[in-house]
Amino acid sequence: MENMKFIDLFSGIGGFRIALETLGFDCVFSSDIDKEARKVYKNNFGENPEGDITKIPNSDIPAHDILCAGFPCQPFSVSGKQMGFDDTRGTLFYDIARIAEYRRPKFLFLENVANFVKHDGGKTLQTILNALNSIDYDVYYDVLNASLFGIPQSRKRAYFLCIRKDLNFKTYAFPTPTLENISLKNIILEDKYVKDLIIERKDVFFDKNIALMNNYKNSQLKPIRIGYVNKGGQGERIYSEYGHAITLSAYGGGVGAKTGLYYINGAVRKLHPEECKRVMTFPENFIVHERVNQAYKQFGNSVVVKMIKIIFEKLLKDNNLAR
């Protein structure tokens, strides 16, 4: 049987692609407006993604079975008027909907920030659901935290699995947490690679419970705060290596901007881009951006590869689908 084909919209550095190729599917099209993300994508996959999806006509996008998109959440110009597809005009989601309506893939696999489901009092979510229903897709969604699935990063994301109605699939249920005992300690680099990331300043303070650090060796599957820098504001909190990373972010300030600060092997430091790669579950041979700040930004914007694989693998298993 021929492998199912997928397209990779808002592709970033290719998290969706890695997950689905691991499952045996073939990527036939990718697109991202960010030139630095496209550069990393090409370095890893040998293909340069197309640019601005809003300028690419439906007919230029190949037929496919799966549409993947970690789409941006921007304000909707029209909301709550029950107009389905038309309610999404003026947003990037509109381009997902128009391509899906034209090409009719079997599945849409979408990801967004956890707060998306509450955005604008739930109106944005309802607009999305109305639009997908109007082009004949059943939608299943849930908010899952990577920390509960064997990934040492607290990262809550909303996942949407949309199934074309005429396929008559049975109801989809998202995977249940695996609760694997894992911590940052499992993925850190040797000290010689991270010397430049160590924070040495006088306003570093630890909570009294730092003396109890060894008690954290059985992971609590969450970040464990043990101290702070300066006044303890955003990017100034220190976490234990025996817990999980906080959510990697593309933006944010403070001395620990984008990765957070951690007490690792007796020193306070940020995570290295290679460690960010590991907490996002990218493969070890993945080539990161040569500029550190770009690498941080790109991982902060990406999907967790393992989560994408787990979610779609369950669909295959539950419905006895050939890969």
Side-chain angles (χ1 to χ4, degrees), residues 19-67:
L20 266 66
E21 285 189 340
T22 301
L23 292 173
F25 303 141
D26 297 326
C27 185
V28 295
F29 177 86
S30 58
S31 169
D32 199 284
I33 199 170
D34 187 295
K35 67 178 183 179
E36 298 299 332
R38 293 201 305 271
K39 180 175 167 182
V40 171
Y41 198 98
K42 184 176 182 180
N43 286 343
N44 284 279
F45 304 108
E47 300 171 17
N48 193 26
E50 298 295 331
D52 188 350
I53 192 62
T54 67
K55 298 178 180 178
I56 301 174
N58 295 331
S59 56
D60 285 358
I61 297 172
H64 52 278
D65 302 291
I66 311 161
L67 183 157

Side-chain angles (χ1 to χ4, degrees), residues 3-129:
N3 290 346
M4 282 202 284
K5 297 177 173 61
F6 68 94
I7 65 171
D8 195 6
L9 303 183
F10 313 105
S11 58
I13 56 175
F16 266 108
R17 179 166 181 158
I18 294 169
L20 266 66
E21 285 189 340
T22 301
L23 292 173
F25 303 141
D26 297 326
C27 185
V28 295
F29 177 86
S30 58
S31 169
D32 199 284
I33 199 170
D34 187 295
K35 67 178 183 179
E36 298 299 332
R38 293 201 305 271
K39 180 175 167 182
V40 171
Y41 198 98
K42 184 176 182 180
N43 286 343
N44 284 279
F45 304 108
E47 300 171 17
N48 193 26
E50 298 295 331
D52 188 350
I53 192 62
T54 67
K55 298 178 180 178
I56 301 174
N58 295 331
S59 56
D60 285 358
I61 297 172
H64 52 278
D65 302 291
I66 311 161
L67 183 157
C68 299
F71 67 102
C73 169
Q74 82 276 52
F76 279 63
S77 56
V78 184
S79 183
K81 295 187 178 181
Q82 307 298 310
M83 294 171 64
F85 180 85
D86 287 337
D87 270 355
T88 66
R89 289 188 182 276
T91 76
L92 291 171
F93 182 81
Y94 173 78
D95 295 284
I96 294 173
R98 67 163 172 94
I99 293 166
E101 184 181 47
Y102 182 82
R103 283 299 183 191
R104 308 288 295 146
K106 296 175 181 175
F107 310 106
L108 313 180
F109 193 3
L110 315 176
E111 186 255 21
N112 213 303
V113 295
N115 194 54
F116 181 84
V117 299
K118 298 178 181 178
H119 183 261
D120 195 18
K123 291 180 181 178
T124 299
L125 174 63
Q126 194 56 53
T127 301
I128 294 287
L129 298 179

Side-chain angles (χ1 to χ4, degrees), residues 76-230:
F76 279 63
S77 56
V78 184
S79 183
K81 295 187 178 181
Q82 307 298 310
M83 294 171 64
F85 180 85
D86 287 337
D87 270 355
T88 66
R89 289 188 182 276
T91 76
L92 291 171
F93 182 81
Y94 173 78
D95 295 284
I96 294 173
R98 67 163 172 94
I99 293 166
E101 184 181 47
Y102 182 82
R103 283 299 183 191
R104 308 288 295 146
K106 296 175 181 175
F107 310 106
L108 313 180
F109 193 3
L110 315 176
E111 186 255 21
N112 213 303
V113 295
N115 194 54
F116 181 84
V117 299
K118 298 178 181 178
H119 183 261
D120 195 18
K123 291 180 181 178
T124 299
L125 174 63
Q126 194 56 53
T127 301
I128 294 287
L129 298 179
N130 291 343
L132 292 168
N133 181 67
S134 73
I135 57 173
D136 295 324
Y137 283 89
D138 289 322
V139 183
Y140 304 94
Y141 68 91
D142 202 355
V143 174
L144 303 179
N145 189 345
S147 275
L148 305 182
F149 291 86
I151 298 153
Q153 179 191 181
S154 176
R155 194 176 186 86
K156 294 180 180 179
R157 287 295 184 268
Y159 297 96
F160 297 79
L161 196 54
C162 316
I163 304 173
R164 211 175 66 208
K165 291 182 180 181
D166 66 325
L167 297 176
N168 296 317
F169 274 47
K170 60 186 178 182
T171 299
Y172 176 80
F174 281 86
T176 55
T178 55
L179 304 179
E180 298 160 52
N181 185 19
I182 189 169
S183 70
L184 275 177
K185 193 74 174 170
N186 298 113
I187 60 92
I188 59 175
L189 295 171
E190 295 178 41
D191 289 346
K192 62 182 179 180
Y193 297 113
V194 298
K195 289 184 291 185
D196 294 342
L197 297 173
I198 293 175
I199 307 299
E200 294 181 337
R201 41 194 286 176
K202 295 180 179 179
D203 58 347
V204 174
F205 306 96
F206 290 103
D207 300 333
K208 294 179 181 179
N209 64 1
I210 190 172
L212 305 176
M213 193 94 83
N214 288 340
N215 293 339
Y216 295 138
K217 287 186 178 179
N218 289 323
S219 177
Q220 297 181 35
L221 306 185
K222 64 180 182 180
I224 302 169
R225 180 176 169 177
I226 59 171
Y228 60 96
V229 174
N230 191 24

Side-chain angles (χ1 to χ4, degrees), residues 243-301:
H244 286 190
I246 60 172
T247 303
L248 300 188
S249 171
Y251 304 100
V255 66
K258 299 182 177 66
T259 80
L261 294 174
Y262 304 90
Y263 185 69
I264 299 174
N265 290 340
V268 176
R269 66 173 175 87
K270 294 176 65 169
L271 296 181
H272 189 280
E274 289 292 322
E275 294 168 327
C276 294
K277 179 170 77 175
R278 291 176 178 179
V279 298
M280 294 301 289
T281 62
F282 277 66
E284 286 294 299
N285 63 354
F286 186 85
I287 304 166
V288 305
H289 200 288
E290 69 272 13
R291 298 207 304 271
V292 171
N293 282 338
Q294 271 294 330
Y296 285 146
K297 176 184 175 182
Q298 290 172 353
F299 283 121
N301 276 332

Side-chain angles (χ1 to χ4, degrees), residues 227-238:
Y228 60 96
V229 174
N230 191 24
K231 297 180 180 180
Q234 184 179 16
E236 296 180 332
R237 296 151 201 159
I238 303 170

